[in-house]
Amino acid sequence: MHASGNAAIYFVDRHIDEGRGDKIAFREADGDRRSLTYGQLAEETARFAGALDRHGVRREERVAMIVRDQIEFPVVFWGALKAGAIPVPLNTLLSTDIYEAVLNDSRASILVVSQELWEVVAPAVADNRFLRAILVIGDAPKGTESYRAFVEGAELADTVEAHEDELAFWLYSSGSTGLPKGVRHVHSSLRATADTFGAQVLAIDEGDTVYSVAKLFFAYGLGNGMSFPMSVGATTVLFGGRPTPDAVFDIMKTERPTIFCGVPTLYAAVVAAQEAAGGMPDHTIRICTSAGEALPREIGERWEKLWGAEIIDGVGSTEMLHIFLSNRPGDVVYGTSGIAVPGYEVRLVDEHDEDLPDGEVGELLVRGPSSADGYWNRRNKSQSTFAGHWTRTGDKYERTPDGRYVYCGRTDDMFKVSGIWVSPFEVEQALIEHPAVLEAAVVARADEKGLDKPAAYIVLKTGADPSIAGDLKDLVKDKIGMWKYPRWIEVVDELPKTATGKIQRYKLRGAA
Ligand code: 3SK
């Protein structure tokens, strides 16, 4: 064992030795608008570790977090790591039932909750047999303890020794069906993603200020807003509210971030709002990232024209902790996910795991230094996903002759029309090229002969005429091929999405 294997030494304590104690690490853009320097972070995390110790929390015990993007998030996460406990950040938008199931599944003994989320969480913990303390950030309702009181007067603990291969934290990954799975990550994975995507693609440095609309509980947000900026002593803007286009414009103007991390839905909404308002956005962004799902080419191009900053679109997964396939600054081809991030290798394989040549659609496998240790209590699923050094992504891709990867859909979302594979994503991209279409989702639907054909669900821009739906069939036929056009087009108010912005196409299958 060596103490330096504990990720908190590199990401938190090192900054004190390197003279960054007074540098702002986190700044809130809403709520109390507090900020936290690297020096305060080192002290507060040692205090939280001391409070866990005082409470008798032992190594490897789980500390569940249902915490908004606010100062306490990094304090609890890194404080738990310092104590050798396992922080388990949970999505702040889950339902009571899912919280109940996930808290039982993880057997967390401590739960930290933001006061604003307590109403949904309270019924989920009523019958929980594992929790020994529920700490509420803010006013503590009956049956809970205030987070403040829990840490008050605690001794500052030393960071425990940990091996770099030791479990550090879990994230829960929501698949398209079933309960979320606990994805177990080790200490070295945090550094691995910061040294690869953070350093070699984003080229993040100490002068950067990051704003990520993806929240910290999501693997994409955890890297963007915590491990990447903390790897170089940069600053993160935390925003606990809903990232609407207006909120984004406001943060750009007042907080002056230099790196913006978004998701396709948000980019589409911001571009539509900007185009409707006219004028140029006031910002200091040098680079943008997109993940969560593939960024439609149209959105990337329109954004770059308006904002003058490239979007680096990439793909990652909770299992790989962050992005492993990505475009590069200065070498962006919108509509593709780029090439492997340095340090990662990818392969495309057929159903027999045979490598496929350029131009053929297959499943994407990835190998790299940040793959998870496995799923908690899901042996079968762990064995099928983590195949030795390779991790199956469940995404279908095609490689172009110049070596870039083009997203075709989730393995479950692809379907055949007249014996030829159709990528829902390709049809959706064609649909949103129409100026009236904000978003689209395409799924297979059986026609009167029982044969699968594309069906489209579209969200129109504000004020658009719903009768344009008929034009869209011709648009798709002209752009990508006769057989791919949607035989049915339904205008809807919104598309079903996960909390992190992925379209849940499975909810639309069989919806008609
Ligand atoms: O979905 C993604 O593309 C992603 C990216 C980075 C980290 C985690 C995820 C799920």
Side-chain angles (χ1 to χ4, degrees):
M1 294 245 211
H2 42 98
S4 60
N6 190 321
I9 303 225
Y10 180 76
F11 287 95
V12 184
D13 298 339
R14 174 176 61 99
H15 296 296
I16 311 306
D17 303 336
E18 293 182 1
R20 276 184 218 99
D22 293 332
K23 173 98 196 279
I24 302 282
F26 295 94
R27 200 164 71 218
E28 293 175 342
D30 60 352
D32 293 335
R33 296 187 170 268
R34 299 165 298 169
S35 57
L36 194 72
T37 63
Y38 276 97
Q40 290 166 325
L41 180 65
E43 189 171 325
E44 292 306 316
T45 48
R47 197 182 318 283
F48 186 68
L52 289 177
D53 190 40
R54 181 170 69 178
H55 199 78
V57 174
R58 296 208 301 232
R59 293 190 66 151
E60 283 105 45
E61 278 189 56
R62 267 78 68 194
V63 175
M65 303 171 56
I66 308 179
V67 178
R68 284 154 58 93
D69 279 19
Q70 58 187 115
I71 292 296
E72 286 80 5
F73 191 111
V75 173
V76 171
F77 183 90
W78 295 103
L81 248 68
K82 281 189 170 183
I86 310 279
V88 184
L90 300 178
N91 185 332
T92 53
L93 300 171
L94 297 178
S95 64
T96 301
D97 289 355
I98 309 266
Y99 282 133
E100 184 174 0
V102 166
L103 288 169
N104 278 320
D105 182 69
S106 69
R107 293 190 211 121
S109 53
I110 304 284
L111 167 64
V112 187
V113 195
S114 298
Q115 179 194 313
E116 296 84 342
L117 306 170
W118 178 244
E119 207 180 311
V120 180
V121 177
V125 296
D127 295 326
N128 186 296
R129 291 180 294 122
F130 305 108
L131 286 170
R132 299 208 307 274
I134 299 170
L135 315 177
V136 175
I137 304 166
D139 294 333
K142 204 162 155 262
T144 71
E145 210 173 316
S146 113
Y147 166 82
R148 218 21 41 245
F150 181 82
V151 291
E152 190 128 52
E155 284 191 13
L156 305 190
D158 289 336
T159 302
V160 301
E161 295 201 345
H163 195 282
E164 60 179 15
D165 290 343
E166 192 168 327
L167 286 185
F169 63 101
W170 301 1
L171 297 171
Y172 270 83
S173 156
S174 310
S176 52
T177 51
L179 280 177
K181 301 180 286 296
V183 181
R184 302 174 305 147
H185 278 288
V186 300
H187 281 267
S188 60
S189 290
L190 289 162
R191 174 93 190 257
T193 53
D195 287 351
T196 53
F197 186 79
Q200 299 180 60
V201 177
L202 277 185
I204 189 165
D205 73 26
E206 195 174 343
D208 278 312
T209 296
V210 179
Y211 170 50
S212 170
V213 302
K215 305 288 186 196
L216 295 173
F217 65 75
F218 178 32
Y220 176 48
L222 190 84
N224 302 336
M226 236 172 38
S227 51
F228 298 172
M230 290 177 68
S231 69
V232 291
T235 300
T236 291
V237 173
L238 296 175
F239 180 67
R242 211 164 76 81
T244 58
D246 281 347
V248 170
F249 293 133
D250 196 45
I251 288 171
M252 295 292 183
K253 211 183 299 169
T254 55
E255 304 293 335
R256 313 310 276 169
T258 54
I259 300 181
F260 175 64
C261 306
V263 293
T265 319
L266 194 271
Y267 283 115
V270 171
V271 164
Q274 189 71 44
E275 285 172 349
M280 295 302 281
D282 177 6
H283 74 90
T284 43
I285 294 297
R286 69 169 178 85
I287 195 164
C288 308
T289 67
S290 182
E293 66 175 336
L295 179 77
R297 179 168 44 79
E298 177 78 10
I299 302 296
E301 286 171 357
R302 277 159 56 198
W303 171 278
E304 189 172 332
K305 211 150 122 209
L306 280 168
W307 287 68
E310 287 176 320
I311 303 179
I312 308 301
D313 184 26
V315 60
S317 67
T318 308
E319 288 76 0
M320 294 304 292
L321 191 55
H322 212 273
I323 294 172
F324 49 82
L325 186 62
S326 178
N327 280 278
R328 297 296 149 79
D331 184 25
V332 171
V333 177
Y334 290 117
T336 81
S337 302
I339 59 173
V341 166
Y344 292 84
E345 278 174 75
V346 292
R347 289 166 65 196
L348 286 185
V349 297
D350 64 14
E351 59 276 30
H352 309 294
D353 270 359
E354 297 292 338
D355 286 286
L356 287 167
D358 295 349
E360 289 203 26
V361 176
E363 188 184 358
L364 184 75
L365 307 191
V366 55
R367 168 154 90 172
S370 57
S371 64
D373 198 51
Y375 299 114
W376 169 248
N377 284 355
R378 305 282 183 101
R379 190 155 174 261
N380 262 338
K381 185 68 188 151
S382 296
Q383 284 173 341
S384 56
T385 302
F386 303 101
H389 289 283
W390 291 94
T391 299
R392 307 194 83 90
T393 65
D395 284 326
K396 290 264 190 202
Y397 267 86
E398 179 183 331
R399 194 176 44 245
T400 62
D402 65 348
R404 293 176 208 267
Y405 287 78
V406 177
Y407 181 66
C408 300
R410 291 290 298 165
T411 306
D412 313 344
D413 290 334
M414 298 279 295
F415 54 95
K416 279 188 174 174
V417 174
S418 312
I420 308 172
W421 282 112
V422 170
S423 149
F425 183 66
E426 187 189 15
V427 184
E428 290 159 10
Q429 287 210 90
L431 288 166
I432 62 168
E433 285 190 27
H434 193 288
V437 179
L438 181 65
E439 289 185 296
V442 169
V443 294
R445 187 188 291 176
D447 66 10
E448 66 287 354
K449 297 193 199 97
L451 300 172
D452 277 348
K453 297 285 175 331
Y457 294 82
I458 56 169
V459 179
L460 294 176
K461 288 186 187 158
T462 315
D465 175 2
S467 69
I468 58 99
D471 306 347
L472 295 173
K473 295 185 180 179
D474 289 336
L475 178 86
V476 176
K477 278 186 203 167
D478 292 349
K479 287 212 174 290
I480 57 170
M482 284 302 285
W483 77 100
K484 296 179 184 169
Y485 82 92
R487 311 309 197 260
W488 307 268
I489 298 182
E490 292 183 28
V491 178
V492 292
D493 291 339
E494 57 180 19
L495 299 174
K497 296 211 179 111
T498 63
T500 49
K502 285 188 209 291
I503 299 176
Q504 295 168 306
R505 292 182 188 81
Y506 73 95
K507 288 199 172 162
L508 297 169
R509 283 197 281 271

